[in-house]
Amino acid sequence: MKYLTLALAKGRTAEQAIKLLANAGIHFETFTSTSRKLIFHDDRTEIKMIYVKAVDVPTYVETGAADIGIVGKDNIQESGANVYDMMDLKFGSCQFVVAGVDKNKYTDAQRITVATKYPQIATDHFHKQGRQIDTIKLNGSVELAPLIGMADVIVDIMETGTTLKENGLEVFETAEHISTRLIVNKASFATKSERVHNLLNQIQNALG
Ligand SMILES: Nc1ncnc2c1ncn2[C@@H]1O[C@H](COP(=O)(O)OP(=O)(O)OP(=O)(O)O)[C@@H](O)[C@H]1O
Ligand SMILES: O=P(O)(O)OC[C@H]1O[C@H](OP(=O)(O)OP(=O)(O)O)[C@H](O)[C@@H]1O
């Protein structure tokens, strides 16, 4: 039988994903989060895991380079990838928020500048409200932007709220809840349906 390929997001959710897979009977014996190895095999279940940057997981799955992906909903939504979002894995929980320092200015402004790692999500969020925005794409430390006058607000992920608090930012709006999801390539879902369903069942059972 041919191996199913699973793209797993590196970073803060990786350990929990590996633990969930182990509980589902899928073991990557040589895996350590600090290793530089990119491909791991479980010969018993015939699953090949590729260990990649979170932001790239939807691309691997959409193109069929991977049959299945484990990644945060933030990255799936931002990518707009045409994949099946099959399962909430219940870890990596956080929330999209709009935050800044001057709420009155934010409320009254005709047009606002939004700094974010997620320009597509920010644009969609504000367009739903009929607001026009300019986006500035940043790749980290987004909270800095309103503090130095670079942007009026940020759209970013909040988990504990510590980063906002320590930088004197206030939540103006809360948006979507985010968690880690299991996504499936559309062609694989049709052509490898039995194997994909078996894997989904194993993971669902492990989730309890
Ligand atoms: N407090 C949090 N901040 C950011 N992401 C979180 C948080 N809690 C859970 N997540 C989830 O974890 C993923 C981010 O993990 P991580 O920060 O390791 O990746 P990244 O930001 O894509 O990586 P990098 O910082 O290397 O670019 C997010 O995509 C999100 O789904
Ligand atoms: O509410 P909190 O628990 O404080 O978590 C939220 C922070 O975590 C993330 O940043 P990350 O740690 O990925 O660093 P980054 O600034 O490099 O993106 C996110 O972009 C927020 O800055």
Side-chain angles (χ1 to χ4, degrees), residues 12 117-118 139-143 156-164:
R12 72 173 81 210
K117 275 165 101 169
Y118 307 94
N139 293 299
S141 308
V142 177
E143 291 81 2
D156 198 17
I157 276 170
M158 178 181 83
E159 187 188 6
T160 61
T162 307
T163 312
L164 292 178

Side-chain angles (χ1 to χ4, degrees), residues 129-181:
Q129 302 178 349
R131 285 192 87 157
Q132 295 303 311
I133 63 163
D134 296 307
T135 55
I136 296 177
K137 160 92 179 168
L138 292 175
N139 293 299
S141 308
V142 177
E143 291 81 2
L144 193 58
L147 301 178
I148 59 171
M150 186 190 203
D152 301 305
V153 291
I154 61 169
V155 166
D156 198 17
I157 276 170
M158 178 181 83
E159 187 188 6
T160 61
T162 307
T163 312
L164 292 178
K165 196 167 164 221
E166 290 197 0
N167 292 290
L169 298 186
E170 184 195 339
V171 175
F172 296 162
E173 281 167 34
T174 54
E176 219 163 334
H177 175 259
I178 298 298
S179 59
T180 304
R181 319 281 309 192

Side-chain angles (χ1 to χ4, degrees), residues 22-115:
N23 289 339
I26 301 154
H27 301 275
F28 301 104
E29 302 294 352
T30 57
F31 175 84
T32 62
S33 56
T34 51
S35 151
R36 297 294 299 160
K37 212 165 127 68
L38 299 172
I39 305 180
F40 301 87
H41 292 86
D42 179 21
D43 294 326
R44 196 186 65 80
T45 56
E46 298 195 317
I47 293 175
K48 175 167 85 177
M49 186 263 277
I50 56 173
Y51 191 52
V52 296
K53 244 183 120 62
V55 72
D56 293 332
V57 169
T59 309
Y60 285 100
V61 176
E62 183 178 37
T63 58
D67 301 296
I68 287 165
I70 293 183
V71 65
K73 191 173 173 193
D74 49 329
N75 287 315
I76 303 166
Q77 232 177 294
E78 181 64 20
S79 73
N82 187 15
V83 296
Y84 292 128
D85 182 349
M86 298 296 296
M87 207 186 283
D88 183 352
L89 302 180
K90 312 275 190 205
F91 55 85
S93 278
C94 47
Q95 189 141 31
F96 268 118
V97 296
V98 178
V101 281
D102 188 343
K103 188 160 186 189
N104 288 335
K105 191 173 162 216
Y106 164 68
T107 311
D108 298 342
Q110 286 286 337
R111 197 175 176 104
I112 48 169
T113 301
V114 182

